[in-house]
Amino acid sequence: MSRVLIIESSARQQDSVSRQLTQTFIEQWQAAHPADSISVRDLASQPVPHLDGNLLGGWMKPAEQRTDIEQASLERSNLLTDELLADDVLVLAAPMYNFTIPSTLKAWLDHVLRAGVTFKYTATGPQGLLSGKRAYVLTARGGIYAGSSSDHQEPYLRQVMAFIGIHDVTFIHAEGMNLGGDFQAKGLDQANAKLAKVA
């Protein structure tokens, strides 16, 4: 039995293509792996604070020197990190905002990319500690960006995943969502066809 963690980051609850892709993923995964557990963390309805001095203090200060706010910030980061560590499959549902990921997803990443927990520094450079996990990234894009210099979403997320040791990463893009007509239909068809092969 595997544990699947889904991170939603679309600011929209209704008419969100990335959320639509997530629902399709869940249905197909559950059908193929009925014994697996799936949990969803929604960063729109439960946003994670951006990295600040309180979180840095929680990470870096000895327990007896932390303020109550710093301790609470550390505990929130621990919760998110423990959740990631406990799961076998990570699904990031991310619309493209201004050529990259939503700030809510960046904030979540800032909480879970932690030295000594999800990666470590070695004499030969950083080493990820989450080897053996798989990741799927479900994106929705207004235009068509795959492989272009305007795509700062996929390269960034690939680098971040590799940094913490997740090298088995599959991207499923629904592109052309704001172009209308055939572009939108084709983008959804291509994304759904790739999703059908995932489970």
Side-chain angles (χ1 to χ4, degrees), residues 58-114:
W59 285 342
M60 297 177 180
K61 290 182 181 178
E64 65 275 9
Q65 295 181 16
R66 294 181 200 130
T67 66
D68 290 344
I69 296 176
E70 289 169 343
Q71 181 63 34
S73 297
L74 174 62
E75 290 173 1
R76 180 176 52 244
S77 178
N78 287 343
L79 172 66
L80 297 172
T81 306
D82 289 346
E83 191 174 60
L84 174 60
L85 291 170
D87 287 284
D88 308 290
V89 179
L90 173 65
V91 180
L92 301 177
M96 177 182 275
Y97 290 170
N98 300 315
F99 309 107
T100 186
I101 63 173
S103 64
T104 51
L105 181 54
K106 176 61 165 60
W108 178 83
L109 289 167
D110 285 340
H111 277 72
V112 302
L113 269 68
R114 291 177 55 182

Side-chain angles (χ1 to χ4, degrees), residues 96-169:
M96 177 182 275
Y97 290 170
N98 300 315
F99 309 107
T100 186
I101 63 173
S103 64
T104 51
L105 181 54
K106 176 61 165 60
W108 178 83
L109 289 167
D110 285 340
H111 277 72
V112 302
L113 269 68
R114 291 177 55 182
V117 182
T118 55
F119 73 93
K120 66 180 180 180
Y121 291 109
T122 73
T124 56
Q127 177 184 334
L129 299 176
L130 303 188
S131 59
K133 296 182 186 292
R134 286 180 288 165
Y136 298 94
V137 183
L138 315 178
T139 79
R141 299 163 163 201
I144 297 174
Y145 296 98
S148 77
S149 60
S150 296
D151 181 2
H152 304 288
Q153 187 184 49
E154 180 172 342
Y156 170 71
L157 288 175
R158 280 196 185 279
Q159 181 173 355
V160 167
M161 292 294 100
F163 186 73
I164 57 176
I166 304 177
H167 298 280
D168 185 354
V169 184

